[in-house]
Amino acid sequence: MPDHSQALDDPPEGFRRIDFDRDRPDPTFNGHIGNLYAKRGPKGTRDEFVLGFRVHQHMCNPAGGLHGGMMMTVADLVGTMGGGTLVGLRKFLPTVSMTFDFVAPARVGDWVEGRAEVVRQTRSLLFTDISLTVGDERFLRASQIAKIPSGDGLAFGKARLVRDEKVVAAPSSPTQG
């Protein structure tokens, strides 16, 4: 079924919608929060993996700012998907621990982008710093520790990127969900 709300999101050039619920009869949590998009840039740059979304009213708190729960959900995905991409892991990375600093609110209509920076990787853990921004303004900072499963782990290939409502490819990063 085509997702017409993508037109309302007006994602910038290069962002493709992530279909977290591929082939599932019932939507997962990620499918309920709204459209999320991913963009892949040149390896080794701050844009190697960027997660983005347009803030809609259903994502906001009663004061009109982006809800903290939405910020934390997106930061969690940025840490595992983005961090995993940066270090070349193609498996689901469960979150062990996260801390958050809420700097400012994002508002309805804002385009939010999330990026991860790998702080450290061990055999079994991935440590990332995460930023959510609107333009050049950071409004959330987070730190995450994710577990790197031994062996092959659970593949992340359930999520896929969508272009013009046609599947283009599974993203080259693990997903939460």
Side-chain angles (χ1 to χ4, degrees), residues 78-114:
V78 169
T80 57
M81 293 174 73
T85 296
L86 297 176
V87 298
L89 293 172
R90 296 183 51 85
K91 58 174 92 176
F92 180 82
L93 304 175
T95 302
V96 174
S97 176
M98 285 194 81
T99 61
F100 302 91
D101 296 318
F102 301 93
V103 180
R107 302 279 180 203
V108 170
D110 286 344
W111 177 258
V112 173
E113 293 186 356

PDB file of all heavy atoms in Angstrom, residues 78-114:
ATOM      1  N   VAL A  78      19.517   5.797  15.796  1.00  0.00           N
ATOM      2  CA  VAL A  78      20.722   6.405  15.220  1.00  0.00           C
ATOM      3  C   VAL A  78      21.968   5.725  15.783  1.00  0.00           C
ATOM      4  O   VAL A  78      22.910   5.414  15.045  1.00  0.00           O
ATOM      5  CB  VAL A  78      20.764   7.926  15.488  1.00  0.00           C
ATOM      6  CG1 VAL A  78      22.126   8.509  15.129  1.00  0.00           C
ATOM      7  CG2 VAL A  78      19.657   8.637  14.722  1.00  0.00           C
ATOM      8  N   GLY A  79      21.985   5.463  17.085  1.00  0.00           N
ATOM      9  CA  GLY A  79      23.145   4.822  17.701  1.00  0.00           C
ATOM     10  C   GLY A  79      23.394   3.430  17.175  1.00  0.00           C
ATOM     11  O   GLY A  79      24.528   3.074  16.836  1.00  0.00           O
ATOM     12  N   THR A  80      22.345   2.624  17.084  1.00  0.00           N
ATOM     13  CA  THR A  80      22.534   1.239  16.638  1.00  0.00           C
ATOM     14  C   THR A  80      22.680   1.136  15.123  1.00  0.00           C
ATOM     15  O   THR A  80      23.581   0.464  14.630  1.00  0.00           O
ATOM     16  CB  THR A  80      21.397   0.330  17.127  1.00  0.00           C
ATOM     17  OG1 THR A  80      20.148   0.851  16.676  1.00  0.00           O
ATOM     18  CG2 THR A  80      21.411   0.209  18.638  1.00  0.00           C
ATOM     19  N   MET A  81      21.816   1.797  14.380  1.00  0.00           N
ATOM     20  CA  MET A  81      21.902   1.730  12.918  1.00  0.00           C
ATOM     21  C   MET A  81      23.129   2.474  12.405  1.00  0.00           C
ATOM     22  O   MET A  81      23.907   1.960  11.618  1.00  0.00           O
ATOM     23  CB  MET A  81      20.637   2.312  12.284  1.00  0.00           C
ATOM     24  CG  MET A  81      19.379   1.508  12.537  1.00  0.00           C
ATOM     25  SD  MET A  81      17.886   2.342  11.923  1.00  0.00           S
ATOM     26  CE  MET A  81      18.106   2.128  10.156  1.00  0.00           C
ATOM     27  N   GLY A  82      23.274   3.721  12.861  1.00  0.00           N
ATOM     28  CA  GLY A  82      24.398   4.542  12.406  1.00  0.00           C
ATOM     29  C   GLY A  82      25.725   4.028  12.911  1.00  0.00           C
ATOM     30  O   GLY A  82      26.691   3.899  12.152  1.00  0.00           O
ATOM     31  N   GLY A  83      25.801   3.732  14.212  1.00  0.00           N
ATOM     32  CA  GLY A  83      27.040   3.208  14.774  1.00  0.00           C
ATOM     33  C   GLY A  83      27.435   1.897  14.128  1.00  0.00           C
ATOM     34  O   GLY A  83      28.603   1.678  13.788  1.00  0.00           O
ATOM     35  N   GLY A  84      26.457   1.013  13.944  1.00  0.00           N
ATOM     36  CA  GLY A  84      26.730  -0.260  13.292  1.00  0.00           C
ATOM     37  C   GLY A  84      27.235  -0.073  11.878  1.00  0.00           C
ATOM     38  O   GLY A  84      28.172  -0.750  11.430  1.00  0.00           O
ATOM     39  N   THR A  85      26.635   0.854  11.145  1.00  0.00           N
ATOM     40  CA  THR A  85      27.075   1.151   9.784  1.00  0.00           C
ATOM     41  C   THR A  85      28.513   1.651   9.784  1.00  0.00           C
ATOM     42  O   THR A  85      29.335   1.224   8.972  1.00  0.00           O
ATOM     43  CB  THR A  85      26.157   2.205   9.131  1.00  0.00           C
ATOM     44  OG1 THR A  85      24.843   1.660   9.019  1.00  0.00           O
ATOM     45  CG2 THR A  85      26.659   2.614   7.750  1.00  0.00           C
ATOM     46  N   LEU A  86      28.832   2.556  10.694  1.00  0.00           N
ATOM     47  CA  LEU A  86      30.168   3.152  10.730  1.00  0.00           C
ATOM     48  C   LEU A  86      31.272   2.132  10.970  1.00  0.00           C
ATOM     49  O   LEU A  86      32.390   2.298  10.487  1.00  0.00           O
ATOM     50  CB  LEU A  86      30.231   4.260  11.792  1.00  0.00           C
ATOM     51  CG  LEU A  86      29.320   5.463  11.548  1.00  0.00           C
ATOM     52  CD1 LEU A  86      29.403   6.433  12.723  1.00  0.00           C
ATOM     53  CD2 LEU A  86      29.653   6.162  10.249  1.00  0.00           C
ATOM     54  N   VAL A  87      30.965   1.075  11.731  1.00  0.00           N
ATOM     55  CA  VAL A  87      31.992   0.060  12.012  1.00  0.00           C
ATOM     56  C   VAL A  87      31.811  -1.201  11.159  1.00  0.00           C
ATOM     57  O   VAL A  87      32.529  -2.181  11.338  1.00  0.00           O
ATOM     58  CB  VAL A  87      32.063  -0.309  13.515  1.00  0.00           C
ATOM     59  CG1 VAL A  87      32.437   0.911  14.340  1.00  0.00           C
ATOM     60  CG2 VAL A  87      30.769  -0.934  14.004  1.00  0.00           C
ATOM     61  N   GLY A  88      30.854  -1.186  10.247  1.00  0.00           N
ATOM     62  CA  GLY A  88      30.683  -2.292   9.315  1.00  0.00           C
ATOM     63  C   GLY A  88      29.957  -3.505   9.874  1.00  0.00           C
ATOM     64  O   GLY A  88      30.108  -4.600   9.350  1.00  0.00           O
ATOM     65  N   LEU A  89      29.147  -3.316  10.906  1.00  0.00           N
ATOM     66  CA  LEU A  89      28.367  -4.430  11.458  1.00  0.00           C
ATOM     67  C   LEU A  89      27.028  -4.516  10.745  1.00  0.00           C
ATOM     68  O   LEU A  89      26.319  -3.518  10.631  1.00  0.00           O
ATOM     69  CB  LEU A  89      28.144  -4.249  12.961  1.00  0.00           C
ATOM     70  CG  LEU A  89      29.387  -4.334  13.828  1.00  0.00           C
ATOM     71  CD1 LEU A  89      29.066  -3.953  15.263  1.00  0.00           C
ATOM     72  CD2 LEU A  89      29.968  -5.742  13.765  1.00  0.00           C
ATOM     73  N   ARG A  90      26.667  -5.708  10.301  1.00  0.00           N
ATOM     74  CA  ARG A  90      25.397  -5.909   9.608  1.00  0.00           C
ATOM     75  C   ARG A  90      24.531  -6.860  10.420  1.00  0.00           C
ATOM     76  O   ARG A  90      24.136  -7.906   9.955  1.00  0.00           O
ATOM     77  CB  ARG A  90      25.638  -6.450   8.216  1.00  0.00           C
ATOM     78  CG  ARG A  90      26.391  -5.484   7.321  1.00  0.00           C
ATOM     79  CD  ARG A  90      26.564  -6.007   5.920  1.00  0.00           C
ATOM     80  NE  ARG A  90      25.330  -6.466   5.309  1.00  0.00           N
ATOM     81  CZ  ARG A  90      24.444  -5.693   4.666  1.00  0.00           C
ATOM     82  NH1 ARG A  90      24.656  -4.405   4.574  1.00  0.00           N
ATOM     83  NH2 ARG A  90      23.368  -6.215   4.136  1.00  0.00           N
ATOM     84  N   LYS A  91      24.284  -6.487  11.668  1.00  0.00           N
ATOM     85  CA  LYS A  91      23.437  -7.302  12.538  1.00  0.00           C
ATOM     86  C   LYS A  91      22.714  -6.402  13.520  1.00  0.00           C
ATOM     87  O   LYS A  91      23.091  -5.263  13.729  1.00  0.00           O
ATOM     88  CB  LYS A  91      24.244  -8.375  13.263  1.00  0.00           C
ATOM     89  CG  LYS A  91      25.386  -7.842  14.116  1.00  0.00           C
ATOM     90  CD  LYS A  91      26.069  -8.919  14.938  1.00  0.00           C
ATOM     91  CE  LYS A  91      27.243  -9.513  14.230  1.00  0.00           C
ATOM     92  NZ  LYS A  91      27.971 -10.489  15.036  1.00  0.00           N
ATOM     93  N   PHE A  92      21.672  -6.929  14.108  1.00  0.00           N
ATOM     94  CA  PHE A  92      20.888  -6.223  15.121  1.00  0.00           C
ATOM     95  C   PHE A  92      21.751  -6.011  16.363  1.00  0.00           C
ATOM     96  O   PHE A  92      22.370  -6.948  16.859  1.00  0.00           O
ATOM     97  CB  PHE A  92      19.649  -7.056  15.459  1.00  0.00           C
ATOM     98  CG  PHE A  92      18.768  -6.433  16.496  1.00  0.00           C
ATOM     99  CD1 PHE A  92      17.857  -5.456  16.145  1.00  0.00           C
ATOM    100  CD2 PHE A  92      18.850  -6.832  17.812  1.00  0.00           C
ATOM    101  CE1 PHE A  92      17.031  -4.888  17.106  1.00  0.00           C
ATOM    102  CE2 PHE A  92      18.033  -6.269  18.775  1.00  0.00           C
ATOM    103  CZ  PHE A  92      17.122  -5.297  18.410  1.00  0.00           C
ATOM    104  N   LEU A  93      21.811  -4.775  16.850  1.00  0.00           N
ATOM    105  CA  LEU A  93      22.591  -4.436  18.038  1.00  0.00           C
ATOM    106  C   LEU A  93      21.638  -3.999  19.153  1.00  0.00           C
ATOM    107  O   LEU A  93      21.131  -2.883  19.124  1.00  0.00           O
ATOM    108  CB  LEU A  93      23.573  -3.296  17.734  1.00  0.00           C
ATOM    109  CG  LEU A  93      24.545  -3.513  16.581  1.00  0.00           C
ATOM    110  CD1 LEU A  93      25.366  -2.247  16.330  1.00  0.00           C
ATOM    111  CD2 LEU A  93      25.448  -4.692  16.860  1.00  0.00           C
ATOM    112  N   PRO A  94      21.384  -4.850  20.130  1.00  0.00           N
ATOM    113  CA  PRO A  94      20.498  -4.431  21.217  1.00  0.00           C
ATOM    114  C   PRO A  94      21.170  -3.391  22.111  1.00  0.00           C
ATOM    115  O   PRO A  94      22.372  -3.474  22.387  1.00  0.00           O
ATOM    116  CB  PRO A  94      20.225  -5.727  21.982  1.00  0.00           C
ATOM    117  CG  PRO A  94      21.249  -6.698  21.535  1.00  0.00           C
ATOM    118  CD  PRO A  94      21.807  -6.228  20.234  1.00  0.00           C
ATOM    119  N   THR A  95      20.403  -2.415  22.532  1.00  0.00           N
ATOM    120  CA  THR A  95      20.906  -1.357  23.399  1.00  0.00           C
ATOM    121  C   THR A  95      21.044  -1.869  24.820  1.00  0.00           C
ATOM    122  O   THR A  95      20.135  -2.483  25.362  1.00  0.00           O
ATOM    123  CB  THR A  95      19.953  -0.150  23.366  1.00  0.00           C
ATOM    124  OG1 THR A  95      19.838   0.278  22.009  1.00  0.00           O
ATOM    125  CG2 THR A  95      20.441   0.982  24.236  1.00  0.00           C
ATOM    126  N   VAL A  96      22.201  -1.582  25.432  1.00  0.00           N
ATOM    127  CA  VAL A  96      22.471  -1.968  26.815  1.00  0.00           C
ATOM    128  C   VAL A  96      22.201  -0.788  27.739  1.00  0.00           C
ATOM    129  O   VAL A  96      21.607  -0.932  28.805  1.00  0.00           O
ATOM    130  CB  VAL A  96      23.937  -2.443  26.968  1.00  0.00           C
ATOM    131  CG1 VAL A  96      24.281  -2.710  28.417  1.00  0.00           C
ATOM    132  CG2 VAL A  96      24.193  -3.669  26.112  1.00  0.00           C
ATOM    133  N   SER A  97      22.635   0.401  27.330  1.00  0.00           N
ATOM    134  CA  SER A  97      22.515   1.585  28.179  1.00  0.00           C
ATOM    135  C   SER A  97      22.501   2.836  27.316  1.00  0.00           C
ATOM    136  O   SER A  97      23.167   2.885  26.281  1.00  0.00           O
ATOM    137  CB  SER A  97      23.710   1.639  29.144  1.00  0.00           C
ATOM    138  OG  SER A  97      23.682   2.815  29.914  1.00  0.00           O
ATOM    139  N   MET A  98      21.737   3.845  27.744  1.00  0.00           N
ATOM    140  CA  MET A  98      21.734   5.149  27.069  1.00  0.00           C
ATOM    141  C   MET A  98      21.574   6.256  28.088  1.00  0.00           C
ATOM    142  O   MET A  98      20.886   6.083  29.090  1.00  0.00           O
ATOM    143  CB  MET A  98      20.599   5.256  26.043  1.00  0.00           C
ATOM    144  CG  MET A  98      20.855   4.482  24.779  1.00  0.00           C
ATOM    145  SD  MET A  98      19.738   4.916  23.425  1.00  0.00           S
ATOM    146  CE  MET A  98      20.537   6.404  22.811  1.00  0.00           C
ATOM    147  N   THR A  99      22.205   7.388  27.818  1.00  0.00           N
ATOM    148  CA  THR A  99      21.974   8.615  28.587  1.00  0.00           C
ATOM    149  C   THR A  99      21.608   9.716  27.594  1.00  0.00           C
ATOM    150  O   THR A  99      22.048   9.689  26.437  1.00  0.00           O
ATOM    151  CB  THR A  99      23.214   9.038  29.394  1.00  0.00           C
ATOM    152  OG1 THR A  99      24.291   9.282  28.494  1.00  0.00           O
ATOM    153  CG2 THR A  99      23.607   7.979  30.407  1.00  0.00           C
ATOM    154  N   PHE A 100      20.820  10.678  28.050  1.00  0.00           N
ATOM    155  CA  PHE A 100      20.302  11.723  27.171  1.00  0.00           C
ATOM    156  C   PHE A 100      20.452  13.090  27.811  1.00  0.00           C
ATOM    157  O   PHE A 100      20.231  13.246  29.017  1.00  0.00           O
ATOM    158  CB  PHE A 100      18.801  11.501  26.906  1.00  0.00           C
ATOM    159  CG  PHE A 100      18.495  10.173  26.292  1.00  0.00           C
ATOM    160  CD1 PHE A 100      18.210   9.072  27.085  1.00  0.00           C
ATOM    161  CD2 PHE A 100      18.482  10.017  24.921  1.00  0.00           C
ATOM    162  CE1 PHE A 100      17.918   7.840  26.524  1.00  0.00           C
ATOM    163  CE2 PHE A 100      18.197   8.791  24.341  1.00  0.00           C
ATOM    164  CZ  PHE A 100      17.915   7.705  25.139  1.00  0.00           C
ATOM    165  N   ASP A 101      20.791  14.077  26.997  1.00  0.00           N
ATOM    166  CA  ASP A 101      20.768  15.482  27.395  1.00  0.00           C
ATOM    167  C   ASP A 101      19.851  16.197  26.421  1.00  0.00           C
ATOM    168  O   ASP A 101      20.129  16.252  25.214  1.00  0.00           O
ATOM    169  CB  ASP A 101      22.171  16.098  27.327  1.00  0.00           C
ATOM    170  CG  ASP A 101      23.128  15.457  28.312  1.00  0.00           C
ATOM    171  OD1 ASP A 101      22.716  15.213  29.458  1.00  0.00           O
ATOM    172  OD2 ASP A 101      24.284  15.203  27.921  1.00  0.00           O
ATOM    173  N   PHE A 102      18.746  16.731  26.951  1.00  0.00           N
ATOM    174  CA  PHE A 102      17.772  17.440  26.135  1.00  0.00           C
ATOM    175  C   PHE A 102      18.146  18.918  26.155  1.00  0.00           C
ATOM    176  O   PHE A 102      18.028  19.579  27.182  1.00  0.00           O
ATOM    177  CB  PHE A 102      16.353  17.232  26.682  1.00  0.00           C
ATOM    178  CG  PHE A 102      15.959  15.784  26.716  1.00  0.00           C
ATOM    179  CD1 PHE A 102      16.163  15.020  27.856  1.00  0.00           C
ATOM    180  CD2 PHE A 102      15.400  15.182  25.607  1.00  0.00           C
ATOM    181  CE1 PHE A 102      15.805  13.684  27.901  1.00  0.00           C
ATOM    182  CE2 PHE A 102      15.041  13.834  25.631  1.00  0.00           C
ATOM    183  CZ  PHE A 102      15.249  13.091  26.783  1.00  0.00           C
ATOM    184  N   VAL A 103      18.595  19.430  25.029  1.00  0.00           N
ATOM    185  CA  VAL A 103      19.122  20.786  24.959  1.00  0.00           C
ATOM    186  C   VAL A 103      18.041  21.803  24.606  1.00  0.00           C
ATOM    187  O   VAL A 103      18.000  22.891  25.157  1.00  0.00           O
ATOM    188  CB  VAL A 103      20.288  20.841  23.936  1.00  0.00           C
ATOM    189  CG1 VAL A 103      20.854  22.238  23.831  1.00  0.00           C
ATOM    190  CG2 VAL A 103      21.373  19.841  24.321  1.00  0.00           C
ATOM    191  N   ALA A 104      17.158  21.451  23.680  1.00  0.00           N
ATOM    192  CA  ALA A 104      16.112  22.364  23.212  1.00  0.00           C
ATOM    193  C   ALA A 104      15.035  21.531  22.529  1.00  0.00           C
ATOM    194  O   ALA A 104      15.272  20.380  22.183  1.00  0.00           O
ATOM    195  CB  ALA A 104      16.695  23.375  22.229  1.00  0.00           C
ATOM    196  N   PRO A 105      13.852  22.117  22.315  1.00  0.00           N
ATOM    197  CA  PRO A 105      12.812  21.351  21.609  1.00  0.00           C
ATOM    198  C   PRO A 105      12.896  21.539  20.099  1.00  0.00           C
ATOM    199  O   PRO A 105      13.343  22.566  19.610  1.00  0.00           O
ATOM    200  CB  PRO A 105      11.513  21.971  22.142  1.00  0.00           C
ATOM    201  CG  PRO A 105      11.892  23.394  22.436  1.00  0.00           C
ATOM    202  CD  PRO A 105      13.333  23.360  22.881  1.00  0.00           C
ATOM    203  N   ALA A 106      12.495  20.507  19.371  1.00  0.00           N
ATOM    204  CA  ALA A 106      12.235  20.649  17.939  1.00  0.00           C
ATOM    205  C   ALA A 106      10.731  20.903  17.820  1.00  0.00           C
ATOM    206  O   ALA A 106       9.965  20.551  18.722  1.00  0.00           O
ATOM    207  CB  ALA A 106      12.641  19.385  17.194  1.00  0.00           C
ATOM    208  N   ARG A 107      10.310  21.513  16.742  1.00  0.00           N
ATOM    209  CA  ARG A 107       8.910  21.916  16.570  1.00  0.00           C
ATOM    210  C   ARG A 107       8.291  21.290  15.324  1.00  0.00           C
ATOM    211  O   ARG A 107       9.002  20.856  14.413  1.00  0.00           O
ATOM    212  CB  ARG A 107       8.817  23.441  16.448  1.00  0.00           C
ATOM    213  CG  ARG A 107       9.392  24.193  17.630  1.00  0.00           C
ATOM    214  CD  ARG A 107       8.402  24.239  18.744  1.00  0.00           C
ATOM    215  NE  ARG A 107       8.959  24.956  19.887  1.00  0.00           N
ATOM    216  CZ  ARG A 107       8.533  24.797  21.111  1.00  0.00           C
ATOM    217  NH1 ARG A 107       7.548  23.964  21.354  1.00  0.00           N
ATOM    218  NH2 ARG A 107       9.058  25.465  22.097  1.00  0.00           N
ATOM    219  N   VAL A 108       6.970  21.295  15.269  1.00  0.00           N
ATOM    220  CA  VAL A 108       6.241  20.797  14.103  1.00  0.00           C
ATOM    221  C   VAL A 108       6.790  21.469  12.844  1.00  0.00           C
ATOM    222  O   VAL A 108       6.984  22.683  12.817  1.00  0.00           O
ATOM    223  CB  VAL A 108       4.724  21.058  14.248  1.00  0.00           C
ATOM    224  CG1 VAL A 108       3.989  20.758  12.935  1.00  0.00           C
ATOM    225  CG2 VAL A 108       4.144  20.226  15.369  1.00  0.00           C
ATOM    226  N   GLY A 109       7.049  20.654  11.840  1.00  0.00           N
ATOM    227  CA  GLY A 109       7.562  21.146  10.570  1.00  0.00           C
ATOM    228  C   GLY A 109       9.071  21.069  10.450  1.00  0.00           C
ATOM    229  O   GLY A 109       9.601  21.116   9.341  1.00  0.00           O
ATOM    230  N   ASP A 110       9.785  20.953  11.574  1.00  0.00           N
ATOM    231  CA  ASP A 110      11.250  20.863  11.522  1.00  0.00           C
ATOM    232  C   ASP A 110      11.687  19.556  10.869  1.00  0.00           C
ATOM    233  O   ASP A 110      11.067  18.513  11.079  1.00  0.00           O
ATOM    234  CB  ASP A 110      11.862  20.906  12.934  1.00  0.00           C
ATOM    235  CG  ASP A 110      11.830  22.277  13.573  1.00  0.00           C
ATOM    236  OD1 ASP A 110      11.613  23.281  12.861  1.00  0.00           O
ATOM    237  OD2 ASP A 110      12.023  22.353  14.809  1.00  0.00           O
ATOM    238  N   TRP A 111      12.775  19.615  10.098  1.00  0.00           N
ATOM    239  CA  TRP A 111      13.421  18.412   9.592  1.00  0.00           C
ATOM    240  C   TRP A 111      14.546  18.086  10.570  1.00  0.00           C
ATOM    241  O   TRP A 111      15.449  18.892  10.795  1.00  0.00           O
ATOM    242  CB  TRP A 111      13.980  18.612   8.186  1.00  0.00           C
ATOM    243  CG  TRP A 111      14.718  17.394   7.703  1.00  0.00           C
ATOM    244  CD1 TRP A 111      16.066  17.219   7.651  1.00  0.00           C
ATOM    245  CD2 TRP A 111      14.136  16.169   7.246  1.00  0.00           C
ATOM    246  NE1 TRP A 111      16.367  15.957   7.188  1.00  0.00           N
ATOM    247  CE2 TRP A 111      15.199  15.291   6.928  1.00  0.00           C
ATOM    248  CE3 TRP A 111      12.823  15.715   7.077  1.00  0.00           C
ATOM    249  CZ2 TRP A 111      14.988  14.001   6.456  1.00  0.00           C
ATOM    250  CZ3 TRP A 111      12.622  14.425   6.607  1.00  0.00           C
ATOM    251  CH2 TRP A 111      13.691  13.588   6.297  1.00  0.00           C
ATOM    252  N   VAL A 112      14.483  16.906  11.165  1.00  0.00           N
ATOM    253  CA  VAL A 112      15.456  16.469  12.165  1.00  0.00           C
ATOM    254  C   VAL A 112      16.418  15.479  11.525  1.00  0.00           C
ATOM    255  O   VAL A 112      15.993  14.601  10.769  1.00  0.00           O
ATOM    256  CB  VAL A 112      14.738  15.801  13.359  1.00  0.00           C
ATOM    257  CG1 VAL A 112      15.737  15.179  14.323  1.00  0.00           C
ATOM    258  CG2 VAL A 112      13.839  16.808  14.072  1.00  0.00           C
ATOM    259  N   GLU A 113      17.701  15.630  11.837  1.00  0.00           N
ATOM    260  CA  GLU A 113      18.704  14.674  11.380  1.00  0.00           C
ATOM    261  C   GLU A 113      19.466  14.141  12.577  1.00  0.00           C
ATOM    262  O   GLU A 113      19.751  14.879  13.523  1.00  0.00           O
ATOM    263  CB  GLU A 113      19.669  15.309  10.377  1.00  0.00           C
ATOM    264  CG  GLU A 113      18.979  15.661   9.082  1.00  0.00           C
ATOM    265  CD  GLU A 113      19.918  16.162   8.001  1.00  0.00           C
ATOM    266  OE1 GLU A 113      21.140  16.323   8.257  1.00  0.00           O
ATOM    267  OE2 GLU A 113      19.417  16.396   6.884  1.00  0.00           O
ATOM    268  N   GLY A 114      19.780  12.847  12.530  1.00  0.00           N
ATOM    269  CA  GLY A 114      20.539  12.204  13.585  1.00  0.00           C
ATOM    270  C   GLY A 114      21.793  11.551  13.038  1.00  0.00           C
ATOM    271  O   GLY A 114      21.759  10.914  11.980  1.00  0.00           O
TER     272      GLY A 114
END
